[in-house]
Amino acid sequence: MEQWNVWDNETAAWPVANPVVTCASATDAGFPSNFVADPFLYIQEDIFYLFFETKNSVTLQGDIGVAMSKDKGATWHHLGIVLDEEWHLSYPYVFSYQDLIYMMPEGSDKEDLRLYRAVNFPLRWTLEKVILKKPLIDSFIINHQGYFWLFGSDFSSVGAKKNGELEIWYSSSPLGPWKPHKQNPVRNMDKSLGARNAGRPFTYKGELYRPGQDCGGTYGQRIRLFKVKVLAKDEYKEVEVPLGLDEPQKGSNAWNGARYHHLDVQQLTSDQWVAVMDGDRVPSGDVVRRLLIGYSAFGAAIVLVILSGVFLSAIKCNLPLSQCLHFSRKRSDVLQSQEHHLQHCSLFRWLCSHLNNMTSLLGGRIRPNTRTGQSILAIIFVVVVSLTCIGTHYVYGGNGAGEAYSLKGHYSQFTLVTMTYDARLWNLKMYVKHYSRCTSIREILVVWNKGQPPNVTRFDSAVPLRIRVEKRNSLNNRFNVDPSIKTRAVLELDNDIMMTCDNIERGFKIWRDHPERIVGFYPRVAEGRPLRYRDEKYARKQGGYNMILTGAAFMDHKLAFERYWSNDAKIGRDIVDKFFNCEDLLLNFLYANASSSRKTIEYVKPSWALDTSKFSGVAISRNTQEHYQVRSECLARFSELYGDLAANKWSFGSRKDGWDV
């Protein structure tokens, strides 16, 4: 979708980005879902129908859902659940035969392979027939060289390697009867080598290709692609070829950063090719793994605290044995419930006795009044704190992904723009490595103001990196019109500011809600006669702000840059060059002066942010008092040129999202 560069202003997607369908979008449409996977396209003229597995978050069962797109995949409308059986369903392979539409989902729990026919496409289907009495996994049917070929995996067969076995059958009709291939199983090898099917096969330039799953590191880790060299009744040969897709570089911040295991490639009537694939941010079983590690750490911390108390004689197991008295009546008169009580009491007395002996033996082994005892207690304290932190991280810390926030069920991307020069190269590498991993960043543009520019190969960037060398050192260069920027949104971010990707994604979400405004992370206030420049602390005391620093702010680059380089702003740009300061204040004035909306700025509070310029001594604001005096003078001059910025002041916490408190 990113390569097509599709723009859809109605959904606030500039341009539209992956993923286009998520379990969240299905849930929001009224079809509760824990995950979506195994997507198959069925295309009728210009309408895309997307069939996929969706795990119902209530029944915890896999069903088959469908969504529809009328704009080649840019936007999707969820139509509902089309197949809901009493057993788990997945892999909804959809195809047409003799003007009828069929679906062959995986339902291996039923131990057979079933073919369904559409009676009212795409929502109503009926069982056509059971075509094979085998629990096949991830099966498809293709018409090739005069025969129909059925590919699937039967992991229940003797000697079959899970995720490494593949079998083939052939027939004169997709309805059967099916005859087994002479070499079955045609593949029975290591699970990482792509034997298990990973989507729809396709023909390109007369050659047949089969996608297969690499399940080596985790289930469905990645897709391998194979060119079928021989497909006959008694022989099958295929060779692996490059898939041609770049591996995601953003880790868990990428929608398919941990795994992608399914691909459906089709050619449109316009000769364009379209592909749909699924992906996940975390490996298979990640949630269970995190909980297991987390609760194990908590348990170990609790056990260590109890043992420490025992060693210090602060905890003693003096359990009340008197509550387990023997009955005085004859055993023959004792009821069955009393017999059970006697058995439990006997076990309880035995346990108490051994615990008392253990605490008596271990008590006093640590003496807190000695140096050795204090050292042991200090080590135990550090270990307990560490285990508690580990447990908290794994149980409550999530998967560590800095995910994007959708708007109207859709995602978008932005360009990160930073301005720097040779004296600040020391932290640019760290800056690029960190921010290039953020989910919604499409490209990083470095505006190089002075000195010898570095080679882009020196940077570890997960997105394209471009260095634009300027002819002269000017702060006005920050807002130079640049037609090569591919997104509507830009994030102007000084290269000495470090914050989390989640903070960046929050700001992007708010800008998409208000694309006509400057949305940033550093509020300021200008007030008084003449205007004086005040910091965030002062603004909070006064209860509001009327400026946003553009050193960390989202904006529409066409709107902002054209305003900044208009004829009306020329005198303001000259003032910026004179003071080598105030370019951000000028843009705030230009927005307030030109916008028809009363509010032209939005504040987003970062959870944390670090200003690395404090460690370098090269920032123009290192002398705070002098810096504020210059900016106050800029305010006075700009107010004469562009109006009174102090007329409006916006309160903190005015939005309902809680990100501007």
Side-chain angles (χ1 to χ4, degrees):
M1 187 57 67
E2 287 88 347
Q3 294 177 358
W4 280 8
N5 205 33
V6 177
W7 291 66
D8 191 340
N9 291 349
E10 292 183 2
T11 62
W14 306 293
V16 177
N18 285 318
V20 295
V21 170
T22 66
C23 60
S25 62
T27 300
D28 291 342
F31 311 103
S33 175
N34 277 352
F35 69 76
V36 290
D38 297 352
F40 281 103
L41 282 174
Y42 189 86
I43 301 174
Q44 285 186 332
E45 297 179 349
D46 292 330
I47 300 179
F48 289 3
Y49 293 96
L50 181 66
F51 294 86
F52 53 91
E53 172 195 357
T54 172
K55 184 180 179 182
N56 189 300
S57 56
V58 178
T59 65
L60 300 182
Q61 177 179 283
D63 301 323
I64 305 303
V66 64
M68 179 181 68
S69 175
K70 296 183 178 180
D71 51 14
K72 294 186 177 181
T75 58
W76 293 87
H77 175 61
H78 288 269
L79 301 179
I81 304 300
V82 301
L83 213 54
D84 179 5
E85 299 284 18
E86 295 180 358
W87 54 91
H88 177 83
L89 296 174
S90 62
Y91 208 83
Y93 183 73
V94 182
F95 65 97
S96 59
Y97 174 66
Q98 293 183 348
D99 297 327
L100 296 175
I101 303 175
Y102 294 92
M103 179 195 300
M104 187 177 65
E106 178 200 320
S108 56
D109 289 351
K110 196 66 175 174
E111 297 188 346
D112 58 26
L113 185 62
R114 299 184 171 213
L115 195 64
Y116 295 80
R117 175 173 49 82
V119 293
N120 187 9
F121 185 84
L123 291 176
R124 288 186 57 203
W125 300 76
T126 186
L127 177 63
E128 182 72 9
K129 68 179 299 185
V130 175
I131 61 174
L132 212 59
K133 283 287 187 178
K134 290 178 72 71
L136 286 190
I137 304 290
D138 296 351
S139 304
F140 63 72
I141 295 174
I142 57 169
N143 187 354
H144 185 71
Q145 295 181 348
Y147 286 94
F148 287 90
W149 303 89
L150 170 62
F151 285 61
S153 299
D154 181 7
F155 302 147
S156 67
S157 59
V158 178
K161 295 182 178 180
K162 187 175 181 180
N163 296 323
E165 195 256 18
L166 178 65
E167 300 180 15
I168 299 176
W169 288 263
Y170 62 92
S171 173
S172 59
S173 165
L175 303 181
W178 294 95
K179 297 180 180 180
H181 193 278
K182 185 178 180 180
Q183 291 181 338
N184 272 349
V186 296
R187 292 288 180 269
N188 195 27
M189 52 193 183
D190 186 87
K191 61 184 179 181
S192 66
L193 299 179
R196 180 171 178 171
N197 290 324
R200 186 190 304 271
F202 60 93
T203 301
Y204 177 67
K205 293 184 177 180
E207 302 281 0
L208 178 63
Y209 294 85
R210 182 188 70 88
Q213 289 188 46
D214 176 351
C215 297
T218 182
Y219 167 68
Q221 179 171 311
R222 63 175 52 86
I223 298 169
R224 293 179 179 269
L225 188 63
F226 301 90
K227 179 190 290 186
V228 177
K229 304 293 288 184
V230 179
L231 178 55
K233 298 177 183 179
D234 56 355
E235 187 179 7
Y236 180 73
K237 289 183 180 180
E238 64 181 14
V239 295
E240 186 170 3
V241 296
L243 180 62
L245 293 176
D246 293 332
E247 288 280 331
Q249 301 297 315
K250 296 185 179 183
S252 60
N253 289 347
W255 65 273
N256 59 344
R259 51 184 178 151
Y260 50 98
H261 87 311
H262 186 100
L263 179 70
D264 183 7
V265 179
Q266 297 190 38
Q267 189 172 20
L268 306 180
T269 55
S270 62
D271 290 335
Q272 283 182 303
W273 287 85
V274 60
V276 58
M277 68 186 302
D278 60 9
D280 200 354
R281 300 177 183 275
V282 296
S284 178
D286 181 74
V287 174
V288 175
R289 182 186 67 86
R290 293 201 310 266
L291 291 177
L292 181 62
I293 295 175
Y295 285 122
S296 297
F298 283 143
I302 293 172
V303 170
L304 195 56
V305 169
I306 294 174
L307 287 177
S308 302
V310 172
F311 283 127
L312 290 168
S313 295
I315 297 177
K316 297 181 180 180
C317 292
N318 294 322
L319 301 178
L321 301 181
S322 59
Q323 294 185 7
C324 264
L325 299 177
H326 292 290
F327 291 96
S328 59
R329 287 175 289 176
K330 293 182 179 180
R331 185 173 182 84
S332 59
D333 298 329
V334 177
L335 298 175
Q336 185 177 6
S337 61
Q338 292 173 327
E339 291 180 356
H340 290 164
H341 179 73
L342 284 170
Q343 293 174 0
H344 293 157
C345 283
S346 177
L347 178 62
F348 185 63
R349 288 169 64 88
W350 178 87
L351 178 62
C352 290
S353 176
H354 281 73
L355 285 175
N356 285 330
N357 292 337
M358 186 185 71
T359 54
S360 299
L361 182 65
L362 299 179
R365 291 301 181 94
I366 297 179
R367 301 181 183 276
N369 56 345
T370 65
R371 181 171 297 180
T372 301
Q374 292 172 354
S375 299
I376 294 175
L377 288 176
I379 293 173
I380 292 175
F381 176 78
V382 171
V383 173
V384 168
V385 171
S386 300
L387 288 171
T388 303
C389 291
I390 291 172
T392 302
H393 169 74
Y394 278 98
V395 175
Y396 301 105
N399 58 29
E403 298 185 36
Y405 293 88
S406 67
L407 181 62
K408 300 180 181 178
H410 298 90
Y411 298 89
S412 186
Q413 293 181 310
F414 63 88
T415 301
L416 176 63
V417 179
T418 188
M419 186 170 64
T420 190
Y421 58 105
D422 49 4
R424 288 190 174 189
L425 183 59
W426 67 276
N427 69 328
L428 185 60
K429 291 183 179 180
M430 174 180 65
Y431 176 97
V432 168
K433 182 177 181 178
H434 169 65
Y435 287 116
S436 69
R437 268 71 180 174
C438 293
T439 301
S440 299
I441 289 184
R442 176 169 180 165
E443 180 187 33
I444 295 178
L445 171 61
V446 178
V447 179
W448 194 261
N449 250 11
K450 184 177 68 173
Q452 181 65 31
N455 194 299
V456 294
T457 58
R458 296 177 59 183
F459 298 93
D460 178 9
S461 180
V463 299
L465 174 68
R466 183 163 58 96
I467 298 178
R468 191 182 74 203
V469 181
E470 302 295 346
K471 295 181 180 179
R472 67 188 186 95
N473 186 14
S474 170
L475 294 181
N476 291 321
N477 293 333
R478 180 193 296 274
F479 305 120
N480 277 345
V481 176
D482 191 338
S484 63
I485 294 177
K486 301 179 180 67
T487 63
R488 178 176 176 182
V490 297
L491 170 61
E492 291 277 358
L493 185 64
D494 290 344
N495 76 323
D496 50 21
I497 294 176
M498 300 297 294
M499 64 178 72
T500 66
C501 287
D502 182 62
N503 289 323
I504 299 297
E505 296 296 344
R506 289 183 181 188
F508 188 39
K509 166 63 169 62
I510 300 303
W511 179 83
R512 293 174 69 195
D513 286 326
H514 308 284
E516 76 285 355
R517 300 175 186 176
I518 300 174
V519 177
F521 302 92
Y522 291 95
R524 296 292 185 264
V525 65
E527 65 172 18
R529 291 291 184 271
L531 288 177
R532 293 187 62 187
Y533 180 81
R534 301 286 192 173
D535 61 11
E536 180 179 346
K537 184 177 180 180
Y538 182 88
R540 291 190 176 277
K541 288 182 179 179
Q542 298 302 312
Y545 61 96
N546 53 24
M547 292 187 298
I548 289 292
L549 298 189
T550 60
F554 284 93
M555 61 195 71
D556 180 337
H557 74 96
K558 290 185 177 180
L559 180 66
F561 296 179
E562 288 175 3
R563 284 180 179 175
Y564 194 87
W565 287 95
S566 65
N567 291 331
D568 293 338
K570 185 180 184 308
I571 300 177
R573 296 195 301 272
D574 292 340
I575 294 173
V576 170
D577 278 337
K578 177 181 178 181
F579 291 110
F580 205 78
N581 204 326
C582 308
E583 81 286 356
D584 50 353
L585 306 186
L586 174 57
L587 190 63
N588 274 268
F589 273 95
L590 295 175
Y591 262 72
N593 185 48
S595 176
S596 58
S597 172
R598 287 186 67 242
K599 191 172 184 180
T600 58
I601 55 177
E602 289 286 344
Y603 166 61
V604 179
K605 182 181 180 179
S607 56
W608 68 265
L610 178 66
D611 184 355
T612 60
S613 68
K614 305 300 182 184
F615 308 108
S616 66
V618 298
I620 63 174
S621 59
R622 60 186 179 274
N623 187 328
T624 303
Q625 184 175 358
E626 180 181 344
H627 176 64
Y628 279 25
Q629 288 177 353
V630 172
R631 293 172 79 79
S632 294
E633 186 170 347
C634 288
L635 288 174
R637 297 197 182 191
F638 290 158
S639 61
E640 293 176 358
L641 293 169
Y642 307 111
D644 187 7
L645 190 66
N648 297 318
K649 187 162 63 175
W650 314 106
S651 62
F652 295 97
S654 59
R655 291 197 312 268
K656 295 181 180 180
D657 53 44
W659 295 345
D660 64 341
V661 295

